[in-house]
Amino acid sequence: MRPESNAVGAAERAPDQLRHDWCIDEVERLLEQPFSDLLYRAQQTHRAYFDPNEVQISSLLSIKTGACSEDCAYCPQSVHHDTGLEREALMPLQEVLKAADEARRQGATRFCMGAAWRGPKDRDVERVAAMIEGVKALGMETCVTLGMLTDGQTARLKEAGLDYYNHNLDTSEAYYSQIITTRTYQDRLETLRRVREAGINVCCGGILGMGESARDRAGLLVELANLPQHPESVPINLLVQVEGTPLAGTETLDPFIFVRTIAAARVLMPASRVRLSAGRTEMSDELQALCFLAGANSIFYGERLLTTDNPQVGRDRALFARLGLRMSGVGA
Ligand code: SAM
Ligand code: DTB
Ligand code: SF4
């Protein structure tokens, strides 16, 4: 399998060093290490596998918004929560391609299309396949997140040329039923297995700041790292609290715990892209710098995530310049 663009061939370089036998106690201890020790270890790992000054850039587009039948407690798009979001039908192909081209011009190398579905119908997959083909023709990597998939659907997406499928475990198995009741952890793992078996790269991570315990955070990381193959992309989201969702008003997470969790993800999954994902709008530049120092080397770029705000591109460009970070694929 091809390594992520501009990674230093890490996955091929030391596959024997990638562990899949982590236990929760061990990761809890890692997360509790003195901050400087944990960051030093994460830095060593990061530098052994990647150029620490290079960050992969993805842009997001919601191609089908709202009215999702699932009850994910964090999500503004669930039909179970009243967040005032307008529901929108699947976007026309030309609009999607226009957005992708604009993202490419801004410097994104991967275009991620998200749909608020429990899972797509086969006719939806046909339309998404055309979007994947069109975005690939622009010279970008493609990622989609459409919910649960069948074997036939993963095969169709692979045939269209899909590079990555995003499907998050979100939290530990123990905490999952507090967050989502309309599907199981096992359902999630099944789709991940199908995606992997179809030969599509896996993008899988979670959300922090949902009222979970330290053990839940360790549990999520262990689930990710102990998959038969590490996900190539690991998005770590900080909960974006949206009024009307059950998690609005949750006590905010200590930012150092967020940074520690990024560092632990880097240590457990050395060759993966760890993406500093949702929640950046509320983070200071200094906190984001700590996340990069802890081993994050990917972001969502562009003024919108799916339905909520992301930092202005000017702010990100200025931050990258101040930190001497390069966007991968842009002049690299
Ligand atoms: N419906 C599909 C699914 O759930 O897999 C795809 C779209 S869903 C919005 C993609 C991911 O966005 C979720 O798995 C979750 O991790 C993340 N997400 C949704 N709402 C969020 C929020 N308020 N804060 C942080 N992350 C969020
Ligand atoms: C992921 O882990 N985070 C992205 C992407 N994968 C699809 C989505 C974040 C959504 C934040 C809330 C919103 O904008 O609706
Ligand atoms: Fe639906 Fe995905 Fe939101 Fe859950 S996270 S409610 S599955 S759009």
Side-chain angles (χ1 to χ4, degrees):
M1 186 188 302
R2 193 170 72 81
E4 291 251 337
S5 50
N6 296 319
V8 281
E12 275 98 5
R13 188 159 50 157
D16 51 337
Q17 287 170 18
L18 302 182
R19 282 182 54 191
H20 300 270
D21 60 352
W22 292 91
C23 69
I24 298 183
D25 287 340
E26 186 183 11
V27 176
E28 262 197 291
R29 282 198 299 275
L30 181 69
L31 284 165
E32 283 166 4
Q33 278 190 356
F35 191 73
S36 296
D37 291 345
L38 175 55
L39 257 69
Y40 180 62
R41 179 155 174 202
Q43 271 278 302
Q44 285 178 310
T45 306
H46 194 185
R47 285 166 182 270
Y49 284 81
F50 288 99
D51 173 347
N53 302 312
E54 178 263 339
V55 175
Q56 187 273 330
I57 304 291
S58 293
S59 281
L60 270 172
L61 177 70
S62 180
I63 56 169
K64 187 267 163 187
T65 304
C68 181
S69 62
E70 303 274 31
D71 70 351
C72 312
Y74 48 78
C75 186
Q77 303 201 67
S78 166
V79 78
H80 301 265
H81 322 316
D82 185 8
T83 58
L85 193 71
E86 289 286 326
R87 90 186 269 173
E88 287 168 29
L90 188 58
M91 212 180 247
L93 175 63
Q94 289 312 320
E95 270 182 48
V96 173
L97 297 185
K98 196 165 155 257
D101 197 40
E102 178 56 27
R104 185 184 60 81
R105 281 175 216 268
Q106 296 280 357
T109 55
R110 190 179 307 165
F111 195 63
C112 309
M113 296 166 270
W117 286 318
R118 173 175 166 81
K121 300 193 174 65
D122 286 349
R123 65 165 189 274
D124 299 323
V125 172
E126 281 310 313
R127 290 186 58 191
V128 173
M131 295 173 190
I132 292 165
E133 284 163 7
V135 174
K136 279 201 78 78
L138 295 172
M140 300 179 86
E141 291 183 319
T142 51
C143 176
V144 297
T145 179
L146 315 172
M148 290 187 252
L149 298 179
T150 64
D151 282 331
Q153 291 174 337
T154 54
R156 180 67 189 96
L157 293 171
K158 175 69 184 172
E159 186 190 50
L162 181 66
D163 296 299
Y164 291 82
Y165 193 78
N166 167 244
H167 201 63
N168 290 339
L169 287 175
D170 282 334
T171 189
S172 68
E173 184 167 18
Y175 197 55
Y176 202 73
S177 62
Q178 304 291 308
I179 301 297
I180 299 150
T181 69
T182 50
R183 59 169 189 256
T184 64
Y185 215 66
Q186 206 50 44
D187 290 332
R188 242 23 209 179
L189 291 167
E190 278 293 307
T191 291
L192 289 169
R193 182 184 58 73
R194 292 195 174 102
V195 168
R196 186 55 91 193
E197 281 177 7
I200 300 167
N201 291 313
V202 171
C203 172
C204 182
I207 308 177
L208 310 182
M210 299 196 293
E212 75 284 345
S213 65
R215 194 161 181 83
D216 292 319
R217 287 185 285 274
L220 168 66
L221 293 177
V222 166
E223 287 287 346
L224 295 169
N226 289 355
L227 287 168
Q229 228 178 300
H230 293 168
E232 282 76 11
S233 283
V234 181
I236 305 290
N237 298 276
L238 179 63
L239 174 69
V240 179
Q241 298 201 11
V242 179
E243 215 47 60
T245 61
L247 293 187
T250 304
E251 193 180 338
T252 53
L253 188 71
D254 174 353
F256 292 125
I257 294 182
F258 187 82
V259 177
R260 284 171 176 279
T261 312
I262 297 241
R266 169 53 64 222
V267 171
L268 266 61
M269 293 167 279
S272 303
R273 287 277 171 185
V274 175
R275 183 171 307 122
L276 171 57
S277 302
R280 289 197 303 117
T281 307
E282 284 76 39
M283 290 179 196
S284 67
D285 289 348
E286 294 84 350
L287 175 55
Q288 292 186 62
L290 275 179
C291 292
F292 294 126
L293 206 59
N297 61 352
S298 170
I299 57 163
F300 286 123
Y301 181 67
E303 279 138 34
R304 203 107 185 109
L305 290 166
L306 291 175
T307 68
T308 64
D309 290 344
N310 201 38
Q312 303 281 315
V313 297
R315 179 180 164 197
D316 279 343
R317 288 205 180 124
L319 178 62
F320 273 50
R322 289 163 75 202
L323 299 178
L325 292 175
R326 289 189 318 277
M327 297 183 175
S328 70
V330 183

